[in-house]
Amino acid sequence: MTGFDAFLHDGGELTCEGTPLSRIARQAGTPSYVYSRRAIRDSYHRLKDAFARVDPLICYSLKANDNLSLLRVLQEEGSGFDVVSGGELFRLQRIGADPRRIVFSGVGKTVQEMEMALEWGLFSINVESRQELETLARVSRRMGREARVAVRINPDVDAGTHPYIATGLHQHKFGVETDQIDDLLEIIENSPEIRLVGLGYHIGSQILDVQPFLDAFERLREGADRIRDRGFPLEHLDLGGGLGISYQGETGPDLQRYAGALAQTGEGYRIVMEPGRYLVGNAGVLLTRVLYRKTNRGKVFLVVDAAMTDLLRPSLYGARHQILPVRPDRSWITADVVGPVCESGDFLARGQRVPDAHPGDLLAVMSAGAYGFVLSSNYNSRRRAAEVLVDGDEWREIRVRESFEDLVRGEPLP
Ligand SMILES: Cc1ncc(COP(=O)(O)O)c(C=O)c1O
């Protein structure tokens, strides 16, 4: 089963694992994110099975969706984690995650975040610049703690994805250029508290073609061999995330081919992966209700109660999500689905085939499990949505909708 199969029209309406979305909307309200536990578990195991030959350490990337209950689901399946901030580390401490299965990525770690990472003894801290490495060496010396370090290289490969989510070219801020690695090795040689354990890349997100991964991996492997030749006992290669999913019927990257290449070219190294979107993207929908239907010079707008503040991807990347009716007895029209926020960029769909819905109708914005809630904001003093996790024939709120009081907490008046 793919994540998408958890959401099916059944008995005259859209359901999640058999639970009618209308029932969830009635009790939890709208807009709400609804996730399928089964779909998350299935995608984790689909990935694990596809790469069984190389038995990778799968470190779910929290940035895709960091709700504690989803982290718990993945933890129970045996997943490790990839974080990029002290806040994400704090979340993992909350669920009692195993620090030896956590990698810390990101281009701008602060001293405080380094202290947290060293205190907890993570599997690896992935550094992205000479200055970051020098700072980490200073902090670990002061704390008397060894830092397990991986260097993220910039492999200069074009991932063929949206420019905002491509990260592996020279013009991007990420990673260390391969010709600067010698500099970093020199620092490591002179820093007994730094132990170089890995080399990695992350070339971008929502990548559908496997070739850029293969190109990047070949460069990574060559770089790793050179580092080993210089006497550093490198243990692992970290492939980052980036595996694309189907939003509108796209075919994802050929995992078998990727796994085959890793088995062949990666021999002698432990493989680490940091998937985010792949594990949760198709396991969630954004449930929203139509407020109004209006026409401007023949153009139809469905005004719904969710907005760019709930799901930013369409505004930010021009991303297209399928929008399905909760009751499938609607015809289809070409329309814009827009939110109540005072921005022309506030849309969930633009000129897209969507259900010909009317006020009161429920719509499901599909494939919203990754980079959905986490990118939401309080712009226009909108309260952030509720989140619901469906598990078989049970469901529960895993995040309570914000209240008006929540909006002003932390704003004392004199
Ligand atoms: C370093 C790193 N690892 C993993 C990921 C997760 O990417 P994805 O959700 O595309 O798998 C990202 C996303 O930006 C990232 O920057």
Side-chain angles (χ1 to χ4, degrees):
M1 142 169 152
T2 65
F4 226 60
D5 299 336
F7 297 90
L8 292 175
H9 279 111
D10 183 12
E13 74 163 290
L14 194 60
T15 60
C16 177
E17 296 193 26
T19 298
L21 290 183
S22 63
R23 191 186 304 161
I24 293 174
R26 246 190 331 272
Q27 291 178 34
T30 54
S32 285
Y33 276 93
V34 181
Y35 309 112
S36 157
R37 177 180 183 143
R38 192 177 70 197
I40 298 169
R41 277 206 300 235
D42 284 357
S43 53
Y44 178 80
H45 288 289
R46 219 175 323 118
L47 190 68
K48 205 165 160 48
D49 291 350
F51 287 91
R53 274 176 284 182
V54 289
D55 191 21
L57 172 60
I58 297 176
C59 293
Y60 168 65
S61 192
L62 265 72
K63 65 173 76 66
N65 189 325
D66 58 15
N67 184 289
L68 292 179
S69 297
L70 296 200
L71 301 181
R72 245 305 140 68
V73 171
L74 285 160
Q75 178 189 31
E76 282 170 8
E77 298 311 308
S79 184
F81 297 99
D82 162 48
V83 299
V84 287
S85 72
E88 289 187 345
L89 266 183
F90 174 76
R91 285 178 176 275
L92 291 180
Q93 286 173 337
R94 259 299 149 85
I95 64 160
D98 177 356
R100 287 160 306 171
R101 299 172 79 77
I102 298 175
V103 300
F104 195 161
S105 310
V107 72
K109 295 171 210 74
T110 64
V111 166
Q112 187 199 15
E113 287 170 333
M114 289 175 182
E115 285 168 354
M116 272 177 94
L118 291 167
E119 192 68 52
W120 213 19
L122 303 189
F123 175 77
S124 140
I125 301 176
N126 297 355
V127 301
E128 299 208 22
S129 66
R130 181 197 168 107
Q131 288 185 357
E132 187 188 22
L133 179 64
E134 286 169 341
T135 306
L136 181 61
R138 260 199 321 276
V139 176
S140 39
R141 200 173 313 131
R142 168 166 54 74
M143 292 176 69
R145 295 259 180 174
E146 183 186 69
R148 289 173 54 88
V149 164
V151 173
R152 173 172 169 179
I153 59 162
N154 183 323
D156 196 31
V157 297
D158 184 356
T161 189
H162 188 283
Y164 286 8
I165 49 177
T167 55
L169 284 169
H170 282 326
Q171 67 258 35
H172 300 131
K173 68 179 174 181
F174 301 101
V176 176
E177 289 212 281
T178 37
D179 58 8
Q180 292 173 16
I181 289 201
D182 282 348
D183 258 14
L184 271 70
L185 295 181
E186 213 179 296
I187 296 169
I188 293 168
E189 263 168 348
N190 295 316
S191 311
E193 53 289 313
I194 297 284
R195 180 154 152 230
L196 182 64
V197 291
L199 198 66
Y201 60 71
H202 170 79
I203 56 173
S205 197
Q206 184 53 16
I207 299 168
L208 296 169
D209 180 7
V210 77
Q211 195 57 47
F213 288 118
L214 303 186
D215 295 343
F217 186 68
E218 216 168 293
R219 283 179 207 175
L220 188 71
R221 168 72 207 240
E222 283 164 16
D225 286 351
R226 261 186 273 121
I227 291 173
R228 268 192 180 169
D229 288 347
R230 285 196 46 177
F232 293 92
L234 268 193
E235 296 162 13
H236 75 260
L237 300 177
D238 183 337
L239 317 182
L243 300 172
I245 62 168
S246 166
Y247 282 94
Q248 302 193 93
E250 304 93 322
T251 307
D254 183 345
L255 299 187
Q256 291 303 332
R257 207 173 138 214
Y258 198 4
L262 296 183
Q264 226 177 17
T265 320
E267 229 201 311
Y269 292 93
R270 174 139 204 230
I271 298 293
V272 176
M273 303 178 87
E274 304 170 2
R277 187 188 313 270
Y278 185 88
L279 295 182
V280 295
N282 275 327
V285 302
L286 173 60
L287 192 55
T288 181
R289 201 178 281 281
V290 178
L291 298 172
Y292 306 108
R293 183 184 197 286
K294 61 186 276 187
T295 310
N296 285 355
R297 295 219 175 183
K299 181 171 172 155
V300 179
F301 292 91
L302 301 178
V303 184
V304 298
D305 64 3
M308 65 188 290
T309 50
D310 301 296
L311 181 64
L312 188 59
R313 298 188 70 255
S315 308
L316 187 63
Y317 311 127
R320 286 167 87 87
H321 289 252
Q322 279 191 50
I323 298 187
L324 297 182
V326 168
R327 289 201 176 279
D329 53 359
R330 298 284 174 219
S331 53
W332 292 78
I333 50 166
T334 299
D336 285 12
V337 177
V338 299
V341 165
C342 304
E343 298 280 346
S344 296
D346 175 27
F347 59 89
L348 301 179
R350 209 171 222 185
Q352 194 173 311
R353 293 300 282 172
V354 296
D356 189 6
H358 291 270
D361 285 352
L362 288 169
L363 298 176
V365 184
M366 307 305 289
S367 312
Y371 306 103
F373 185 91
V374 282
L375 281 165
S376 61
S377 78
N378 293 122
Y379 182 42
N380 280 196
S381 272
R382 287 174 54 82
R383 295 168 295 161
R384 286 185 302 165
E387 293 183 288
V388 166
L389 180 64
V390 179
D391 182 10
D393 48 17
E394 293 176 358
W395 64 270
R396 67 185 180 89
E397 277 186 43
I398 56 172
R399 181 193 301 268
V400 177
R401 184 181 310 287
E402 282 181 337
S403 65
F404 288 135
E405 279 301 322
D406 289 332
L407 288 180
V408 294
R409 186 160 298 129
E411 292 180 41
L413 288 169

